[in-house]
Amino acid sequence: MAGPTPGASSAAPALAPQGLAGEPGPFRFVDIQPDSGVDFVHVSGMTPEKLFPTANGSGVALFDADGDGRLDLYFATGNRLPLSSAPAASNRLYKNLGGGKFRDETERSGLGFRGYCHGITVGDIDNDGDPDVFLSNYGGDALYLNHGDGTFSEIGRAAGIFRPGTWSSSAAFLDYDNDGDLDLYVSRYGDWQYPRDDRFCGDEARQIRRYCPPMTLAMVKHTLFRNNGDGTFTDVTDTAGVGRTDGHGFAAVAADLNGDGKTDLYVANDKDPHFLFLNHGDGTFHDATEESGAAFDIEGRAQSGMGVDAEDVDGDGRPELFITNFANEYNTLYRNLGRGYFVDATANFGLAVDSLPWIGWGCILADLDNDGWPDAVVANAEVDDNAESLGQPIGYHEPPELYHNRGGSHFRLANRGAGAYFEGRHLGHGLAVGDLDDDGDLDLVINHKDGPPAILRNDTTAPHHWIRLDLIGTRSPRDAIGARVEVAAGGRVIHRLKKSGQSLMSSHDPRLLVGLGESPVVDRVTVRWPSGAVSTLDRPAVGRTHQVVEPRTGP
């Protein structure tokens, strides 16, 4: 969360339209939250004192908590600071009943964490087939083990991941050492303690406080925990080669970014270089940050990175990197040149100008109309609720951005006609994507700061085909994070990644839904597992889900 530099002018942004233009796109979304049974309301704890952690909002997770085959909803919340012995608000879990209806299962599940929670990261840490939950918190993280019946137990202290007084934003699961267990990378925002670091930023003469910028906050080392395979974790940050101390950390994404079969890490930092760690495959990483081309914008400036995603947007088989940033910093798309090298190609893809006025948080690269090309969505919100009193022309609520990928060559803003949500203004922070109603298209869930969420059912009616893949690792972690998928259909090969940690503070549908465009036939599906194993499906049926199990033997 970047803010104005102390003493800087409060002049209006260079570009400050009152709404989003753009051409009508193919998308249609309906917010079903009011009739869904989801009555969650986020609490940031923001007060006129503008205590730093209350700026950044919280995330949401889509996962099958109870094993019934439907994606449930789990929302994170903050609280008033400093935390009391009994914080008022709690995280909330809602069971998916089907038909767009949900029921509060928080008390029964044991997931009613009360503290200050930013992020939710889901992964099967014990490979038993049940998703477990890690919470990135201000004040110390939490880890919940799934018992397989929709109930969870908190094991953070016993597992060795709880660090009192830490401030974490997001996390990503990955098997960095190729032992078949999910390890955990935790992105730390900084060192902020009350009242020690409660400083005044804003207009002192008028006594109008604003949130302080990140450079006023001491940075801390992010943490990589190795999964010991017995329910405990060991801090291996330095020995693995990821122990940098120069990043105010927000989101991280774990995926194979250079195509060598190993799971890498890319981390969005706020006004600091974005980290790129390329996995050697021997339990260590190469720090490629400075040489990567993905640490700074095209002019060599550090941007206010918050949300992040990775996907092949131009069809060349190499995943691009997408970062959301602060106002007057465009959201950045780094084109993948191969071998761990990237270039800022934002303007070339048409993503720069429209994003300049807004403050971007969660983001996804996902094919929302099943045409075979990943589209883009960004959740936006101003940081300060009193920015207008300091002369800033853009209000507190901001419009989201919805971009249509036009055949891999460029994006076009497509808010117009996409539904009331995309034509309005909101306080969007955490953003998750998944097929909540199992109808073969991707829905969106957005956690709003200090308000109810949006549950956006995808009603796009494009006549496109799809196939869904449920990957089950055996030698690789059961979640198969780091796997690469190639779908040959309609004369092209569509590339998709099995990832963890993307967007911001949120977790997503673990199944891979691949849009096929107008092709009614899939020639072949190839899955390249983190272990090095390869699976193929010849002529699989379209319009259905295929479970693909990693071979236990063979190359």
Side-chain angles (χ1 to χ4, degrees):
M1 183 278 299
T5 301
S9 168
S10 58
L15 183 64
Q18 293 304 304
L20 288 175
E23 60 192 42
F27 309 114
R28 302 294 182 272
F29 287 89
V30 175
D31 187 357
I32 66 170
Q33 180 273 328
D35 299 318
S36 68
V38 174
D39 57 358
F40 170 81
V41 176
H42 177 265
V43 176
S44 73
M46 181 178 63
T47 65
E49 288 71 34
K50 301 297 174 68
L51 303 184
F52 209 135
T54 66
N56 294 347
S58 302
V60 57
L62 280 57
F63 70 108
D64 183 4
D66 54 5
D68 67 354
R70 296 191 183 104
L71 292 177
D72 306 305
L73 296 177
Y74 185 45
F75 295 94
T77 187
N79 265 291
R80 289 290 295 267
L81 294 178
L83 287 171
S84 67
S85 59
S90 79
N91 290 4
R92 301 275 293 278
L93 176 73
Y94 293 87
K95 176 181 173 64
N96 189 340
L97 303 176
K101 303 297 182 182
F102 296 82
R103 183 178 68 225
D104 192 331
E105 290 283 305
T106 307
E107 185 175 352
R108 176 184 176 274
S109 70
L111 285 174
F113 173 81
R114 291 182 183 271
Y116 204 101
C117 184
H118 287 299
I120 306 170
T121 309
V122 177
D124 188 355
I125 63 171
D126 52 2
N127 288 325
D128 65 352
D130 305 313
D132 308 301
V133 176
F134 175 80
L135 302 182
S136 302
N137 302 323
Y138 170 73
D141 302 325
L143 180 63
Y144 286 86
L145 190 68
N146 192 332
H147 297 305
D149 58 357
T151 66
F152 295 75
S153 294
E154 207 287 309
I155 62 167
R157 292 179 186 271
I161 61 93
F162 177 77
R163 302 284 180 84
T166 54
W167 181 9
S168 304
S169 296
S170 295
F173 282 114
L174 72 159
D175 182 11
Y176 88 99
D177 54 359
N178 298 314
D179 65 353
D181 296 317
L182 284 182
D183 310 299
L184 176 66
Y185 183 88
V186 183
S187 175
R188 313 283 192 192
Y189 191 81
D191 180 13
W192 187 92
Q193 301 295 326
Y194 182 86
R196 183 194 69 190
D197 299 308
D198 180 26
R199 59 177 294 174
F200 190 102
C201 294
D203 188 334
E204 290 196 70
R206 298 164 60 193
Q207 283 298 293
I208 300 175
R209 293 187 69 158
R210 298 190 67 179
Y211 285 108
C212 292
M215 62 279 294
T216 65
L217 188 73
M219 290 175 283
V220 298
K221 192 180 298 184
H222 305 195
T223 309
L224 177 64
F225 291 103
R226 181 184 185 273
N227 188 334
N228 299 321
D230 60 359
T232 66
F233 290 77
T234 300
D235 185 340
V236 294
T237 308
D238 292 327
T239 57
V242 297
R244 294 184 67 129
T245 58
D246 57 340
H248 294 97
F250 262 120
V253 61
D256 182 2
L257 300 176
N258 60 355
D260 65 354
K262 306 174 186 69
T263 308
D264 309 305
L265 277 167
Y266 183 67
V267 185
N269 291 309
D270 193 357
K271 295 305 290 183
D272 311 299
H274 308 315
F275 301 157
L276 178 62
F277 300 118
L278 299 177
N279 195 334
H280 287 308
D282 60 358
T284 65
F285 291 84
H286 168 60
D287 184 352
T289 299
E290 275 70 29
E291 67 201 52
S292 69
F296 306 99
D297 72 5
I298 198 168
E299 295 185 2
R301 298 172 299 192
Q303 294 179 294
S304 307
M306 291 185 274
V308 64
D309 203 356
E311 203 66 82
D312 176 19
V313 304
D314 58 2
D316 65 359
R318 298 188 294 263
E320 276 63 53
L321 296 170
F322 186 53
I323 294 274
T324 58
N325 296 303
F326 207 75
N328 292 325
E329 299 175 344
Y330 55 82
N331 299 330
T332 312
L333 183 76
Y334 295 99
R335 188 179 184 203
N336 193 330
L337 304 177
R339 299 179 180 270
Y341 296 104
F342 296 81
V343 63
D344 179 352
T346 313
N348 304 71
F349 280 92
L351 288 167
V353 173
D354 290 317
S355 66
L356 274 171
W358 318 116
I359 299 177
W361 300 90
C363 65
I364 55 100
L365 295 172
D367 184 359
L368 300 175
D369 59 350
N370 285 336
D371 67 351
W373 300 99
D375 308 298
V377 183
V378 179
N380 293 322
E382 171 58 66
V383 174
D384 291 287
D385 60 349
N386 58 355
E388 290 176 304
S389 66
L390 291 170
Q392 186 164 320
I394 294 177
Y396 187 36
H397 297 70
E398 295 188 351
E401 297 164 71
L402 173 62
Y403 294 94
H404 185 216
N405 186 337
R406 305 293 294 272
S409 62
H410 63 283
F411 290 80
R412 285 289 180 266
L413 198 63
N415 286 49
R416 187 187 303 174
Y421 184 86
F422 284 101
E423 295 178 354
R425 290 175 175 242
H426 315 278
L427 296 176
H429 283 254
L431 165 63
V433 62
D435 190 356
L436 287 172
D437 49 7
D438 291 320
D439 65 347
D441 55 31
L442 293 172
D443 310 301
L444 302 170
V445 182
I446 302 172
N447 196 349
H448 295 135
K449 184 179 178 183
D450 291 317
I455 305 173
L456 302 178
R457 186 185 67 209
N458 190 340
D459 287 349
T460 302
T461 57
H464 294 150
H465 301 280
W466 57 272
I467 187 171
R468 184 166 19 230
L469 304 172
D470 184 12
L471 305 185
I472 307 296
T474 56
R475 287 182 281 175
S476 304
R478 185 180 175 89
D479 285 351
I481 293 165
R484 293 174 293 143
V485 171
E486 302 161 8
V487 178
R492 59 176 291 221
V493 178
I494 301 167
H495 298 262
R496 293 291 179 264
L497 300 174
K498 186 65 185 290
K499 302 170 285 189
S500 176
Q502 73 272 23
S503 185
L504 175 64
M505 306 180 292
S506 300
S507 290
H508 316 270
D509 192 338
R511 306 165 298 177
L512 292 181
L513 181 67
V514 182
L516 306 172
E518 297 179 359
S519 176
V521 175
V522 170
D523 298 314
R524 172 172 287 196
V525 172
T526 304
V527 180
R528 303 187 186 279
W529 303 88
S531 69
V534 178
S535 297
T536 58
L537 283 72
D538 290 318
R539 307 282 288 191
V542 303
R544 57 163 290 187
T545 301
H546 298 266
Q547 188 179 87
V548 186
V549 180
E550 181 183 17
R552 295 182 180 274
T553 59

